[in-house]
Amino acid sequence: MTDHPYKKAEDRAFWSRSVARGFDAGAVADRPPFSLSRRDRFMSAGSCFGANVRRYLDAWGLDYVVTERPHPQWPESKENAFYEAYSARYGNVYTARQMLQLLQRATGEFSPTEDHWVARDGTFIDPYRPGLAHRASSLHELRALTAQHLRAVKQAVETATVLVFTLGLTEAWVSAADGAVFPACPGTVAGEYDLERHLFVNFSVGEVAADLDRLIRLLRAINPAIRVIVSVSPVPMVATASGRHVMVATAYSKTVLRVAADEFAHRHPDVAYFPGFEMVLWGHSGESPFTGDLRTVREPVIAAVMRGFRAAYIDDGQEVAGPERAAESPALSEAVAAAIDDDCEEMMADELLPVDR
Amino acid sequence: MIDLVRLRLSVGVHAEGSREMCVMEAAARLAGEAWTDRPVSVSPVLTALLTCLNDAMDDVQRQDLKRLIPILPGTRGEGGVEVVRSWMVLDWHCRTWPSAWLRAIGCTAVEAAPITDIESLRAALWTLHRASKAAAARREATRLGAFEQRSAGDEATYRLAVAYGKAQVDAVRAMSATSAWSAGWDLSRVYGPQAWDAARDHARSIGRDAALVCAWNACLEGPLTKLRSSMLALVRSLIEARQHVHG
């Protein structure tokens, strides 16, 4: 028998030895191009699945950067769980373009034309955070709250040493005026849909890759020391506007993001790809990784993924406890996770959409 | 260099090279620092307070902050100085802010000793609680009086006053006099979050209730003007605190 490359390959190169049996969550990620420690300061952003990051980092006693608090004038503004799940109250950031624009707004490089919506009750809505529980009673209040929010975003990037960014979608709704990306289609969670002013886009690999490259340049400009761990959310789309079956649209979206994330990591020494997507879809045997809705990732699966995250980047030899053990009760932790999932703009839109037949 | 006369301060952060700036971007520029809204040479307590004020003031009031810009660089102090400054901010929020409102509606000011540490903050809580009750009672009396006026048939006047009052109270909120709360946050989390939360709630409710009474009585601008000046005086005191501590 001749010699060949597979003869000397590690077990992790073989599906039968590393996935079908003997699965080790800690062995899935490639060796990262940088090392992290307990001294690092983390921030996170991304889609619903990314909202889990903070829960685990907090439970592990790692330094999770939080820069936004209730505004002193409106402290009663208790927010929906997914707005409190990140370093600042940006909520879920589904696309690379949305993340790029968030930072461009935080550095004053971009000011969307469509910067407020007026609700029927006369309150003012931030189109880029339409699911906020607290609505401004005046445009002046909205501008003060937005300014505070964007300062907090910038401060988080300045303070963190690591950004964990989870890509979620390629489909988005944008303003026809300047391409500003809305986290949810206007008219669903809030606002009013206008055929002339609101356009549907489905980003390609090239567009996502270009946005990620611009994103890392901007991140470095704010904080040259920051590193990025990028991943792809395994959570299927709630709905598609592409005209295709949602399953096909989801496959396209995840594939594009997966390719773009990998290329992004290969191009930049300060970026690592974390395979949470793969670990959820294939890193277990028997049971579905999802709950009954076939979208929500079960907590034990999330825990396994996060153990893999820790093993890959911050393996400090300490016992790993997740929020299910750190919290007062497992039920509480699950409730927080469920609230994050249920309240995200995508789910809100799903609940609010009429069923037209 | 920076032309303070021609400079226009505006809300939020700005891109490098922008002709408009926020107050802290202007201070950073004057200090020769890289473009930022958190200059290293300026006290973090002053930065928290002034960015909050910058964003909450209207375009005209905001320009008053320009005169502070030249004296901001070099104010960052050692840990002890910043702690002293934080207590000064909390003291303003717990005594000066509610007292101005209480006087405006004919109630007794907050009679508490200066708040300089967690013990004095706790000691002030009862006085604040009593004052908030008094302001709430005055507001309720005003509300009942307004209803009587409506029942007397003067519906148009009533509606106009309510609309005016609402807009003005929004303005009070937006003026963000309690931006002091933001600057004192870190300190309160370390020394006594519960006491600070209680004090903040009392001070806020006093401001809200008294502002409604003032709006109804069409005398809102008086306390607002006083508090704006008082806030600027507080900023000056915070700057001077560095000199006192360093002798």
Side-chain angles (χ1 to χ4, degrees):
Chain A
M1 194 183 289
T2 58
D3 197 12
H4 56 75
Y6 294 101
K7 269 195 170 177
K8 291 171 187 165
E10 299 171 57
D11 282 352
R12 71 195 293 266
F14 294 88
W15 192 273
S16 62
R17 294 179 218 164
S18 65
V19 183
R21 63 176 187 274
F23 177 71
D24 175 7
V28 182
D30 293 332
R31 187 184 297 278
F34 46 79
S35 58
L36 305 178
S37 73
R38 293 188 72 84
R39 284 198 298 264
D40 274 292
R41 296 182 298 275
F42 293 81
M43 74 174 285
S44 62
S47 69
C48 320
F49 189 73
N52 294 299
V53 172
R54 177 177 176 181
R55 293 193 297 128
Y56 278 83
L57 296 184
D58 277 346
W60 295 337
L62 294 173
D63 191 351
Y64 188 87
V65 174
V66 178
T67 52
E68 187 164 6
R69 324 159 175 134
H71 193 281
Q73 279 301 305
W74 301 280
E76 67 277 15
S77 57
K78 292 279 182 202
E79 271 317 322
N80 287 319
F82 72 101
Y83 281 107
E84 302 288 10
Y86 300 102
S87 297
R89 286 177 164 181
Y90 30 79
N92 291 341
V93 178
Y94 298 100
T95 61
R97 182 73 55 85
Q98 190 189 342
M99 185 68 191
L100 173 66
Q101 290 182 356
L102 176 66
L103 288 196
Q104 288 174 326
R105 291 170 64 216
T107 52
E109 292 176 24
F110 179 51
S111 300
T113 309
E114 197 165 337
D115 64 354
H116 70 276
W117 293 332
V118 183
R120 284 183 187 152
D121 64 0
T123 55
F124 289 77
I125 299 162
D126 180 350
Y128 307 97
R129 300 188 294 164
L132 281 174
H134 176 76
R135 291 189 169 174
S137 59
S138 65
L139 192 54
H140 188 94
E141 179 184 339
L142 180 70
R143 296 221 158 109
L145 290 172
T146 304
Q148 175 189 265
H149 165 61
L150 294 175
R151 285 185 196 278
V153 171
K154 183 159 167 271
Q155 190 183 350
V157 176
E158 288 170 342
T159 309
T161 58
V162 186
L163 164 66
V164 183
F165 180 42
T166 307
L167 291 159
L169 298 175
T170 53
E171 292 188 12
W173 290 88
V174 302
S175 164
D178 53 12
V181 177
F182 304 107
C185 177
T188 55
V189 177
E192 290 186 10
Y193 174 67
D194 182 331
L195 189 64
E196 299 295 318
R197 290 189 297 130
H198 304 131
L199 307 177
F200 172 73
V201 292
N202 198 359
F203 296 116
S204 65
V205 173
E207 287 169 323
V208 176
D211 286 339
L212 289 172
D213 284 344
R214 291 166 70 194
L215 175 65
I216 190 79
R217 282 199 294 273
L218 188 50
L219 283 166
R220 287 180 194 139
I222 300 171
N223 177 359
I226 199 163
R227 288 149 297 170
V228 177
I229 296 172
V230 65
S231 65
V232 175
S233 167
V235 178
M237 298 168 73
V238 164
T240 178
S242 64
R244 311 175 86 180
H245 191 288
V246 68
M247 191 186 286
V248 178
T250 295
Y252 169 82
S253 186
K254 300 300 177 185
T255 312
V256 163
L257 296 175
R258 179 64 190 83
V259 172
D262 217 79
E263 290 183 350
F264 178 50
H266 277 105
R267 275 196 303 276
H268 302 283
D270 43 2
V271 177
Y273 172 71
F274 175 66
F277 176 78
E278 291 86 338
M279 291 164 73
V280 168
L281 292 188
W282 300 305
H284 48 86
S285 56
E287 280 186 282
S288 165
F290 302 110
T291 60
D293 63 4
L294 301 183
R295 283 192 75 249
T296 308
V297 181
R298 290 189 301 111
E299 188 66 36
V301 177
I302 297 171
V305 170
M306 292 308 295
R307 275 199 300 276
F309 179 93
R310 180 163 173 158
Y313 305 115
I314 36 184
D315 191 1
D316 48 12
Q318 296 192 12
E319 187 190 359
V320 177
E324 71 277 17
R325 286 173 58 185
E328 283 185 14
S329 74
L332 178 64
S333 177
E334 296 249 347
V336 171
I340 288 169
D341 278 345
D342 292 347
D343 290 348
C344 75
E345 285 111 344
E346 250 199 309
M347 285 305 292
M348 282 185 186
D350 191 34
E351 287 160 10
L352 295 167
L353 286 172
V355 182
D356 292 331
R357 297 187 193 282
Chain B
M1 278 305 291
I2 183 169
D3 184 348
L4 288 175
V5 178
R6 298 176 72 178
L7 173 69
R8 183 171 176 274
L9 297 178
S10 60
V11 67
V13 292
H14 303 80
E16 185 167 359
S18 168
R19 293 177 69 180
E20 293 188 0
M21 301 178 198
C22 77
V23 61
M24 299 316 298
E25 288 165 341
R29 188 105 176 103
L30 194 67
E33 295 188 30
W35 189 278
T36 179
D37 62 341
R38 295 193 303 140
V40 293
S41 63
V42 178
S43 153
V45 174
L46 280 160
T47 298
L49 187 59
L50 286 170
T51 48
C52 211
L53 273 176
N54 180 90
D55 295 341
M57 285 175 153
D58 67 30
D59 278 346
V60 176
Q61 293 160 10
R62 186 180 301 113
Q63 308 314 314
D64 288 345
L65 300 178
K66 284 203 288 188
R67 68 186 73 165
L68 298 169
I69 293 169
I71 50 177
L72 290 173
T75 53
R76 180 180 284 263
E78 298 300 317
V81 183
E82 298 304 334
V83 171
V84 168
R85 284 176 171 147
S86 294
W87 282 117
M88 290 169 70
V89 170
L90 297 190
D91 182 60
W92 188 92
H93 176 65
C94 293
R95 296 195 311 137
T96 308
W97 156 262
S99 293
W101 286 115
L102 290 163
R103 283 193 203 97
I105 59 171
C107 292
T108 310
V110 176
E111 291 173 340
I115 295 167
T116 55
D117 51 27
I118 187 63
E119 283 74 26
S120 48
L121 175 62
R122 287 201 182 105
L125 282 181
W126 173 242
T127 311
L128 272 167
H129 173 70
R130 230 176 19 199
S132 70
K133 292 274 184 199
R138 193 61 57 97
R139 178 196 175 186
E140 181 62 11
T142 305
R143 189 181 72 86
L144 292 174
F147 273 109
E148 279 173 19
Q149 189 169 333
R150 183 166 62 168
S151 62
D154 198 354
E155 189 77 16
T157 308
Y158 173 81
R159 284 182 186 280
L160 196 65
V162 168
Y164 174 77
K166 184 176 182 313
Q168 291 301 299
V169 171
D170 285 346
V172 173
R173 290 158 68 98
M175 196 195 80
S176 193
T178 48
S179 53
W181 178 81
S182 183
W185 174 279
D186 291 332
L187 187 74
S188 69
R189 295 295 111 185
V190 171
Y191 289 96
Q194 287 168 341
W196 176 233
D197 285 348
R200 177 202 65 196
D201 289 347
H202 290 320
R204 194 178 70 241
S205 72
I206 291 169
R208 182 195 59 214
D209 290 340
L212 277 164
V213 175
C214 289
W216 178 252
N217 295 327
C219 62
L220 198 53
E221 200 46 46
L224 278 177
T225 305
K226 279 182 193 162
L227 281 167
R228 269 183 222 120
S229 324
S230 171
M231 179 66 88
L232 294 178
L234 169 69
V235 171
R236 288 187 182 280
S237 302
L238 293 172
I239 293 167
E240 287 164 10
R242 173 175 166 271
Q243 291 155 3
H244 293 157
V245 173
H246 287 296

